[in-house]
Amino acid sequence: MSEPHAIVLSVNGRAVDAKVEPRRLLADFLRRDLNLTGTHIGCEHGVCGACTVLVDGRPARSCLMFAVQADGCEVVTVEGLAGEDGRLSPLQQAFREHHALQCGFCTPGVLISLTSLLGASPDPDEAVIRDVVSGHICRCTGYQAMIDAARAVAGRGVPGRS
Amino acid sequence: MKPAPFAYHRPTSLSEATVLLARLGEAKLLAGGQSLVPMLNMRFLGPDHLIDISRIEELAFQKLTDEALHIGAMTRQADLLASPLVRRHCPLLAEALVHVGHQQTRSRGTIGGSLCHLDPAAEIPLVALALDAVLTVVGANGERQVPMSEWPAGYMTPELAPDEILSAIHMPNVQPDEGHAFIEFARRRGDFAIVAVAAVLRIGPGGRIRSAAIALGGMGGTAFRLRDAEHGLIGALPQSGEIRRAARAVVQTDVSDDAYYTGAYRRHLGEVLVERALLRAAERASGGGRHV
Amino acid sequence: MATRYLGAAVRRVEDPRLLKGEGCYVDDLALPAGLEAAFVRSTIAHGLIRAVETSAARALPGVHAVYLAEHLGPAAERPMPLASPHPLLIQPRTQTPLATDEVCYVGQPVALVVADNRYIAEDAAALVAIDYDPLPVITDCRRALDPAAAPAHRGADHNRAAILTARFGDAAAAFAGAAFSLAERIEMQRGGAHSMEGRGVAVMPSPDGTGITLWSSTQAPYMIRRLLAAHLDWDESRIRVIAPDVGGGFGPKAVFYPEEVVIPLAALRLGRPVRWIEDRREHFQATTQQRLQAWDVEVAADAAGRLIAIRGQGVHDAGAFVPHGVLLPLSSLWPFPGPYALQALDLSLDVVFTNMVPTSPVRGAGRPYANFVIERLIDRVADALGLDRAEIRRRNFIPRDSFPYATGMTYRDASKVTYDSGDFEACLTEAMQRAGYADFATRRAAAAKRGLRRGIGVASYVEDTGAGPFEGVSVRVLPNGRVHAVTSAASQGQGHTTIIAQICADALGISPDLQQGVQGVLIIVAVALSLDRARLKIVK
């Protein structure tokens, strides 16, 4: 019944050929079949955002997509954000400078969402940054440092804390 | 929380999809997946077949005519939010869309999916109800048009036969004398609304209300219109006490307590939001306001 | 010790890996020939297991085993050890790793399915049919001591797990002579921790068959090893426990769970690595929560708002078992009387069983409950007497010349709680200054004109940290100039690697290039107890 389907997609710029069972979630395909364990699974119902990846340039919950649906798509995961030489992207560097991560579990998803935002809109308002971050749940940091990091990359600098 | 097994189909045309749907028993349509896949992962649903309609190009479009903005059911919420056509000709929808889920779910979620899922607190069905949208449904026997008021058959159940597919939504264009407002109250950004209100007022040259639409979501099994209050507003001046009186109508609504909130709280919220929405709609109508 | 790195703003050595998605959490481990597991959990709060049908589950292709307690041997059928035995525990009940005949909370593990992957394991789990005889249920801890209350455990005479008391001075006399008193009912609901990474356990049998390596998303690798060895009656040297990258802990991951017994038993029986990863629904059901506490308390004060005594009766919801002993409710008592000079205290806390998932420390671990009661009471007294909330605290703080100050309480190690130093009034003054307390009324009025309601709150607390009895670090300087620091202080995001590196750098006068990551200092989890209650960093 649930015959495997052949899929062809690009992941972090590399072509991937695979056969997957229809029900295999994209998140599990990335993590287990491609060994890209940077994308994390936190809730499996689309609420926490830890599994967020880019699909054809847009942030999407990989726990709410099946790998078969990614056939013909371009997927970018957190592993695709740093440079080839391992150098952190400006946003990753800003996260480090602003202490925007603690346990690191929600971090890849947030990086994807903010990378996507800053790519489309290099100088977003803080309200827009907050809106994007609101699609993620973090239990460690309190989010402010993530917003500061995004603002720093956007060139606005970090607002003074009152 | 992994889903039960299913067979996967990916038709490339609407007719292929309707044939599949008619032939396969126990099939669910997969559009954006933002509501369906959680239910599959939690095994609340276990269909034998999933028919992925997301690659059917004829189902994703935005087309403007004199009367309406015609939107294909597979059009992604993110595309609608970014659309100048929506902003200009259906500002109520534009205002509501920022409340739909999160940016990350709007990438994939669709207008048709939301209308078929029919959560009583959902924004898109509420807008469609306030605007008296018409839905086009396609099945093995051809096409039919369904007014939004007849769309809900019950709690989270649209008036859709097992072999039918929602293909398009026709949103009446905003009129020059019209003002709108969408207001919802939720505890956090992106949460389901506790109560949501979509209001549309048309104000005549004398400054009197020509027509009103007040739609409420989150109060009961389906969203509904406050029809009596709407009729009561015709001919009234917005700054009279009539808007406050129309809002009071919410108090009569039968809403029971649930696990989260009391009926009394929802009624209170509903009354406050209806009044605010009507006042804002009136303001926008007078200001020639089609701005969001 | 000269400090150059300690207290300085440094970049964390942990970050580059985590930012690049190169962290290794339990679910990221590459386990060769590994299998994945799913638990079948009780769907009722209390009942007897009459029959379990597993044949359909076993027959599913890709299923390697379906285990009940009886299939995994005596270690699966005897109660798990108590992490913190205590003489006050009247009924020191712990669960068996898999339920044998009785289930006492929704989520309690009854069976284990091991399969090629989690998808198939869940398919099989759905096919396991359990026939229960429902038993009466008690879920409201406030009713658990009623004469007609259902026993949370079959055959139990009552639901009392312990009675804890905290007393000093003569409360009765204090109340009798007080100018003013009031009573309050204070309830604090249950709460889950919901670290973004749920729990998880992976076990690999050692190639020579003598032991295991166990990875757990735990805060307490040492405790897991000690208790598992005790439960299996093994020498600890046969068990290696590793806490890899852990995605948040917050308390509930410092508990010894049934899954940490069942997965090793399954792996040993199958001779292959087995991994279980908790999903979010399981976290809601089967990971410990904190509280519920309900108090009826009274406070006695003089006319000037100086508190004289607090007395009250409380109930604490232990849930169905007490794997963590009474550590949590005890921790909610010894913080009394906080920063205030109280003449008398008389509190009694009933710790009771209910048919709910067990409770254990979460973030603050009981201290916030005591703090909430005290601060609520002092605010209520302020309201009743028309006093400003900051002023009443000022009047009640232990005066700065009274230190060291014995609060009257006894700590968990039987020592007398003594505050060595403090100037609480100075803290309050500074806080008020920074918050602009003095002209708050003006800001509130201005905001009200714009339709905004503003409020301001004041709360104060004294927090115990650095609890003993010990923690260990061993530091070695290697011939190649690198420094190895070995500690048991597992991290779930706190950045201990960086902290230890900072301390070592200062202590040894070395200059680790912290920006480059692990260059000068390496951390390996090993010796001593476990991360519990923020005791890692005590700087003298």
Side-chain angles (χ1 to χ4, degrees):
Chain A
M1 166 166 78
S2 46
E3 297 305 312
H5 285 242
I7 58 174
V8 175
L9 63 156
S10 139
V11 181
N12 296 330
R14 284 211 173 89
V16 170
D17 249 285
K19 267 192 129 93
V20 289
E21 199 192 0
R23 64 170 169 167
R24 194 156 188 70
L25 295 171
L26 178 61
D28 287 324
F29 174 71
L30 294 169
R31 289 176 49 74
R32 288 274 197 267
D33 299 347
L34 302 185
N35 279 317
L36 294 169
T37 57
T39 301
H40 299 141
I41 295 178
C43 75
E44 292 177 307
H45 57 287
V47 167
C48 79
C51 71
T52 305
V53 298
L54 293 182
V55 176
D56 289 341
R58 288 179 165 177
R61 309 285 202 222
S62 64
C63 75
L64 296 188
M65 272 184 77
F66 301 108
V68 284
Q69 292 180 275
D71 185 26
C73 294
E74 284 183 13
V75 177
V76 175
T77 70
V78 63
E79 290 92 341
L81 298 184
E84 278 292 334
D85 55 356
R87 184 183 302 223
L88 299 179
S89 72
L91 182 67
Q92 287 169 317
Q93 189 60 35
F95 263 50
R96 193 168 183 216
E97 282 158 20
H98 292 272
H99 301 291
L101 67 154
Q102 291 183 27
C103 82
F105 200 76
C106 76
T107 309
V110 183
L111 287 171
I112 289 285
S113 284
L114 287 175
T115 299
S116 171
L117 171 67
L118 293 166
S121 163
D123 199 13
D125 284 344
E126 180 171 337
V128 174
I129 296 173
R130 283 182 177 275
D131 187 56
V132 166
V133 172
S134 77
H136 293 271
I137 301 180
C138 170
R139 294 289 281 159
C140 295
T141 68
Y143 309 97
Q144 186 59 46
M146 298 175 186
I147 292 159
D148 293 345
R151 286 174 63 99
V153 172
R156 284 173 178 269
V158 178
R161 306 275 177 85
S162 56
Chain B
M1 284 152 54
K2 310 297 182 191
F6 52 80
Y8 174 80
H9 312 265
R10 192 160 73 208
T12 49
S13 74
L14 190 49
S15 56
E16 191 188 341
T18 52
V19 163
L20 262 178
L21 197 51
R23 177 164 61 81
L24 301 169
E26 272 291 336
K28 287 294 275 183
L29 295 173
L30 176 61
Q34 305 302 286
S35 301
L36 178 63
V37 181
M39 294 174 78
L40 294 175
N41 288 351
M42 291 195 231
R43 300 199 180 207
F44 291 156
L45 291 174
D48 292 334
H49 301 273
L50 230 54
I51 302 171
D52 182 353
I53 56 173
S54 66
R55 308 290 177 111
I56 300 177
E57 289 177 1
E58 61 192 290
L59 279 181
F61 61 85
Q62 298 173 53
K63 189 173 131 178
L64 182 69
T65 63
D66 288 339
E67 306 81 40
L69 181 59
H70 309 271
I71 306 173
M74 260 308 302
T75 311
R76 308 275 185 187
Q77 293 156 6
D79 289 333
L80 292 173
L81 191 54
S83 161
L85 282 178
V86 171
R87 204 176 4 233
R88 212 170 308 134
H89 301 281
C90 198
L92 180 64
L93 180 60
E95 186 170 36
L97 278 166
V98 293
H99 297 282
V100 176
H102 293 281
Q103 192 224 32
Q104 297 84 351
T105 61
R106 294 192 293 261
S107 306
R108 306 285 304 171
T110 63
I111 182 171
S114 175
L115 282 163
C116 291
H117 190 64
L118 214 52
D119 188 288
E123 294 83 359
I124 291 172
L126 196 64
V127 166
L129 187 63
L131 294 177
D132 285 317
V134 175
L135 312 184
T136 299
V137 166
V138 172
N141 295 332
E143 207 178 86
R144 62 189 179 96
Q145 313 303 322
V146 184
M148 184 61 199
S149 54
E150 291 167 32
W151 181 241
Y155 174 64
M156 294 183 73
T157 309
E159 191 58 68
L160 196 62
D163 66 342
E164 288 182 315
I165 299 177
L166 171 66
S167 66
I169 301 92
H170 313 280
M171 299 283 203
N173 288 334
V174 66
Q175 298 303 305
D177 59 355
E178 191 178 296
H180 70 277
F182 184 93
I183 307 182
E184 80 170 49
F185 188 82
R187 289 184 66 176
R188 294 172 306 184
R189 196 56 169 280
D191 276 1
F192 286 107
I194 304 171
V195 172
V197 173
V200 182
L201 287 179
R202 292 181 67 176
I203 311 260
R208 292 185 179 273
I209 295 171
R210 293 178 52 185
S211 72
I214 311 167
L216 268 154
M219 296 183 58
T222 57
F224 57 90
R225 295 266 297 259
L226 282 177
R227 303 241 182 230
D228 288 344
E230 292 169 1
H231 289 137
L233 279 173
I234 294 175
L237 289 168
Q239 56 272 43
S240 67
E242 289 304 316
I243 281 181
R244 162 77 48 91
R245 203 188 316 265
R248 287 294 298 166
V250 175
V251 169
Q252 311 305 323
T253 314
D254 188 19
V255 192
S256 29
D257 299 350
D258 60 30
Y260 303 104
Y261 303 102
T262 61
Y265 179 63
R266 287 186 196 266
R267 280 191 293 273
H268 168 73
L269 259 186
E271 185 185 346
V272 170
L273 297 186
V274 165
E275 184 176 357
R276 285 189 192 169
L278 286 171
L279 288 172
R280 190 176 298 172
E283 207 181 330
R284 284 172 170 165
S286 323
R290 281 197 224 101
H291 52 277
V292 175
Chain C
M1 182 173 93
T3 59
R4 196 174 138 210
Y5 291 99
L6 196 60
V10 299
R11 302 215 173 107
R12 297 196 332 167
V13 301
E14 294 88 339
D15 288 354
R17 285 172 64 239
L18 297 176
L19 285 164
K20 291 195 272 187
E22 289 168 9
C24 185
Y25 304 85
V26 174
D27 199 30
D28 302 339
L29 294 163
L31 297 169
L35 300 171
E36 299 202 29
F39 282 89
V40 182
R41 299 178 181 278
S42 174
T43 51
I44 62 170
H46 194 198
L48 293 177
I49 300 169
R50 204 173 22 193
V52 185
E53 178 51 60
T54 60
S55 51
R58 280 179 217 276
L60 206 60
V63 172
H64 291 251
V66 179
Y67 294 126
L68 304 179
E70 69 211 47
H71 302 129
L72 291 174
E77 298 173 289
R78 58 173 172 259
M80 293 177 58
L82 266 177
S84 314
H86 200 285
L88 290 178
L89 269 171
I90 300 166
Q91 298 186 75
R93 293 177 183 270
T94 59
Q95 59 192 302
T96 57
L98 287 175
T100 50
D101 55 351
E102 189 185 5
V103 291
C104 296
Y105 64 96
V106 170
Q108 184 172 354
V110 180
L112 180 76
V113 176
V114 184
D116 287 340
N117 60 55
R118 176 77 179 203
Y119 290 73
I120 297 172
E122 288 193 17
D123 294 341
L127 293 174
V128 173
I130 306 177
D131 195 7
Y132 294 107
D133 269 336
L135 288 173
V137 168
I138 177 74
T139 54
D140 185 348
C141 67
R142 293 159 294 195
R143 301 267 72 86
L145 296 178
D146 291 354
H153 301 271
R154 179 186 45 155
D157 292 327
H158 58 80
N159 289 317
R160 197 173 262 119
I163 306 173
L164 307 177
T165 58
R167 290 193 182 108
F168 62 81
D170 187 342
F175 271 86
F180 170 82
S181 73
L182 61 78
E184 186 70 59
R185 171 129 182 116
I186 297 175
E187 297 191 352
M188 293 164 269
Q189 80 283 6
R190 272 177 173 254
H194 286 283
S195 47
M196 290 320 299
E197 184 205 17
R199 294 186 290 129
V201 182
V203 176
M204 187 154 72
S206 62
D208 64 2
T210 60
I212 56 170
T213 300
L214 183 154
W215 291 264
S216 179
S217 185
T218 182
Q219 294 169 233
Y222 243 75
M223 181 184 76
I224 304 303
R225 185 173 109 159
R226 175 169 57 87
L227 294 174
L228 181 60
H231 187 72
L232 297 178
D233 195 20
W234 281 17
D235 196 86
E236 278 189 35
S237 61
R238 294 171 65 185
I239 303 173
R240 191 171 161 227
V241 175
I242 299 172
D245 286 316
V246 175
F250 310 118
K253 287 182 179 177
V255 171
F256 181 46
Y257 282 97
E259 292 89 348
E260 283 158 330
V261 175
V262 178
I263 298 298
L265 292 175
L268 285 164
R269 199 156 286 256
L270 290 166
R272 289 174 66 166
V274 176
R275 167 171 28 212
W276 164 75
I277 299 298
E278 178 185 66
D279 63 32
R280 191 55 53 183
R281 176 158 45 197
E282 287 179 284
H283 190 91
F284 270 104
Q285 289 185 342
T287 290
T288 60
Q289 300 172 352
Q290 63 166 325
R291 317 190 203 104
L292 185 164
Q293 279 197 357
W295 285 94
D296 284 304
V297 279
E298 294 174 85
V299 58
D302 67 15
R306 276 182 289 261
L307 307 192
I308 303 169
I310 294 174
R311 68 182 172 195
Q313 174 71 44
V315 65
H316 177 95
D317 184 354
F321 298 103
V322 284
H324 225 61
V326 285
L327 187 61
L328 177 59
L330 274 177
S331 301
S332 74
L333 285 180
W334 68 62
F336 281 89
Y340 308 116
L342 213 57
Q343 288 174 34
L345 183 76
D346 186 355
L347 298 175
S348 177
L349 183 62
D350 284 314
V351 180
V352 300
F353 289 113
T354 59
N355 294 117
M356 305 275 281
V357 69
T359 56
S360 75
V362 176
R363 294 270 359 212
R367 298 187 215 67
Y369 320 163
N371 190 257
F372 186 59
V373 171
I374 298 164
E375 294 300 292
R376 197 89 190 92
L377 284 175
I378 203 168
D379 272 2
R380 292 275 288 115
V381 173
D383 286 344
L385 296 179
L387 287 171
D388 173 75
R389 281 165 296 149
E391 174 57 25
I392 195 174
R393 285 169 169 83
R394 204 186 294 280
R395 290 183 191 183
N396 279 284
F397 281 149
I398 297 158
R400 67 173 69 86
D401 56 9
S402 300
F403 294 92
Y405 180 84
T407 63
M409 302 296 286
T410 303
Y411 201 45
R412 68 172 180 169
D413 62 2
S415 62
K416 296 292 173 202
V417 176
T418 306
Y419 298 158
D420 59 0
S421 60
D423 188 346
F424 303 146
E425 191 175 341
C427 291
L428 177 63
T429 302
E430 171 142 9
M432 286 168 66
Q433 210 162 350
R434 294 201 199 185
Y437 193 90
D439 60 359
F440 175 71
T442 316
R443 295 203 299 282
R444 173 195 259 148
K449 290 206 176 76
R450 295 189 338 257
L452 278 176
R453 294 191 190 216
R454 279 190 188 271
I456 194 164
V458 183
S460 57
Y461 64 94
V462 175
E463 181 174 8
D464 66 297
T465 180
F470 64 85
E471 193 57 76
V473 182
S474 101
V475 180
R476 280 165 45 210
V477 182
L478 301 179
N480 64 6
R482 288 177 159 254
V483 175
H484 271 205
V486 174
T487 178
S488 78
S491 180
Q492 310 86 46
Q494 298 91 328
H496 293 158
T497 307
T498 302
I499 294 170
I500 300 281
Q502 288 171 277
I503 296 171
C504 286
D506 281 346
L508 301 174
I510 60 177
S511 318
D513 186 344
L514 292 173
Q515 301 209 12
Q516 294 267 357
V518 184
Q519 183 166 29
V521 185
L522 256 183
I523 304 296
I524 302 168
V525 174
V527 157
L529 293 174
S530 64
L531 179 70
D532 183 73
R533 311 203 294 109
R535 74 160 158 254
L536 172 63
K537 190 175 145 254
I538 312 132
V539 181
K540 292 242 193 276

